[in-house]
Amino acid sequence: AMPLDLGRLASVREFAEAWRRRGLPLHLLVCNAGIMSPLTRSTTADGLEVQFQVNFLSHWLLTNLLMEHEHARRSKARTAVGGGSSSSSSSGSSSSSSSSSSSSSSSSSSSGTRVVVVSSVVHRAGPLQWPDLNSERCYEPYVTYGLSKLADVMLAAELQRRFDRHPEAPPSTPSAKPSKPATTTTTTNSRSNNSNSNDPFASDAAVALHPGLVRTHLADSFFRNYGGAQLGGARPLVAAWHTFLDTVGRALLASPEVAARRMLEACLGPAGRLGGRYMALGVPYPAAADARDPAKAAELWEVASRLTGHTPAPSLS
C-alpha cells in the first residue's frame, strides 16, 4: 500500500517519491478525492483552507510531481532504446539481448498519460477571488467548494496547454529502418496531429470531468447537512427536506453505474478529441468563462507553485 493524505503536502511529496522509486510507467491518473462544503471553515496541517487544498492544490502538486517523474522515466527509456539500437548493429551476440531488453522497455513505456481531474457543475458558482483564494475573509461552504472545482477545471485545461507546448514522445522500439528526426517524432505525438486517432494514449492528455449528481454518501451528506442548515435547523422543515431527498431527490440523481461509465469515457476516450476539454454528463461541454481563460489559468498555476513551494519542471512550463 502507498498511503496518500491530500491534507498534507508532505504526504503528497512522499507518495510521488515512492512512485518514482518503483520505476513504473504512469498510464492513468484520476484526481477524484474531494471534500464537499463543510459548514464551517477549517484548515489543513499546512494552514490552507481544506477544500482548496484537498480538492485542488494537492492534486496540482501530485500531478506535477508524477508527470515530471514520468517524463524523466521516458527520457531514460529513450536513452536505453538508443543504446540498444547502436549495440545491436555492432554485435551479433548482444543484438538479441539488447533488442529484447529494448522491446520490453518500449512495450511498457510506449503510451502517453491520461490525467482526469474530477470537477463539478458547481465550478460555475465559484468566482476566482484572487485576494482570498484561501477563504480567510469570507467563507461560504457552497461557493468555496465551487472555487476549488473551478480551479480543477483550470488545472486540466492549463495542463493540456503545457502538454501541447512540450509534447513528450514515448520511446520507440529499435528497428533496422533509419529513425525519424526528433522534430518529426515530436510533431507526430502532439495532440493536434492525433485529433482523428481513437487511441486514448496516443499522447499525454488532461480532461476535466463532471460525472453528474450521483447517489453517493458524499452527495447525501451534503444535501442533508447543507440543506438543513439553510432551513435554519427547524425540525419540521428539515424532516420534510429529508423525506424529499429520500424520494424525489434520489430519482433525480444518477446511479453510481452511470457515473462510472462517464468516468471510463473520460479515461479511455480518444486523446485528440478529449484533451483539454471539460466533460459534463459524458460529453464535452463548454466550461465557465474563467475556466477557459489561459491568462487566468497561468496565474492560478503561479499561485499554486507559490503555495506548494514547487517549481514545475521545464517539460511542464
Side-chain angles (χ1 to χ4, degrees), residues 104 121 178 219 248-249 265 288 296 312:
S104 174
V121 67
V248 178
E265 172 61 22
K296 289 183 178 179

Side-chain angles (χ1 to χ4, degrees), residues 25-284:
L26 180 64
H27 299 301
L28 175 64
L29 172 62
V30 178
C31 298
N32 186 44
I35 294 177
M36 188 176 186
S37 304
L39 296 180
T40 57
R41 182 182 182 276
S42 60
T43 57
T44 65
D46 300 293
L48 299 166
E49 194 278 320
V50 66
Q51 293 182 93
F52 188 67
Q53 176 168 337
V54 172
N55 297 0
F56 163 67
L57 202 60
S58 288
H59 283 148
W60 181 92
L61 179 60
L62 179 66
T63 300
N64 271 270
L65 291 173
L66 291 183
M67 288 307 305
E68 288 166 17
H69 295 333
E70 172 62 11
H71 290 164
R73 186 197 64 80
R74 291 183 201 167
S75 178
K76 184 177 180 180
R78 277 194 294 270
T79 301
V81 167
S85 177
S86 173
S87 174
S88 65
S89 64
S90 61
S91 170
S93 61
S94 64
S95 172
S96 175
S97 174
S98 297
S99 177
S100 173
S101 174
S102 297
S103 296
S104 174
S105 173
S106 173
S107 65
S108 64
S109 312
S110 60
S111 67
T113 298
R114 174 66 55 88
V115 179
V116 177
V117 185
V118 178
S119 182
S120 168
V121 67
V122 183
H123 82 274
R124 300 179 184 279
L128 275 177
Q129 46 199 37
W130 288 114
D132 193 29
L133 289 175
N134 209 24
S135 301
E136 293 176 300
R137 301 178 188 175
C138 178
Y139 176 79
E140 200 288 326
Y142 189 75
V143 173
T144 301
Y145 174 73
L147 168 65
S148 71
K149 290 303 177 179
L150 172 59
D152 282 336
V153 180
M154 297 172 77
L155 164 59
E158 180 63 14
L159 184 61
Q160 185 64 58
R161 294 186 192 102
R162 293 172 187 239
F163 284 161
D164 290 345
R165 284 201 294 269
H166 306 283
E168 279 283 322
S172 58
T173 305
S175 67
K177 297 180 180 180
S179 59
K180 295 181 179 180
T183 53
T184 302
T185 303
T186 298
T187 303
T188 302
N189 281 277
S190 69
R191 182 170 65 103
S192 60
N193 284 277
N194 280 293
S195 58
N196 296 320
S197 172
N198 289 323
D199 184 357
F201 303 108
S203 60
D204 292 335
V207 183
L209 170 69
H210 166 54
L213 297 175
V214 187
R215 292 196 297 269
T216 63
H217 292 301
L218 177 66
D220 184 67
S221 176
F222 166 73
F223 286 118
R224 288 177 184 274
N225 295 335
Y226 186 76
Q230 295 300 106
L231 293 171
R235 289 188 177 181
L237 293 177
V238 171
W241 172 243
H242 287 179
T243 299
F244 173 82
L245 292 177
D246 292 336
T247 53
V248 178
R250 286 186 62 83
L252 297 176
L253 299 179
S255 69
E257 291 76 15
V258 168
R261 286 196 294 271
R262 293 167 180 168
M263 173 65 78
L264 286 174
E265 172 61 22
C267 292
L268 301 176
R273 182 171 68 88
L274 299 184
R277 303 297 297 273
Y278 166 68
M279 294 185 66
L281 307 181
V283 296

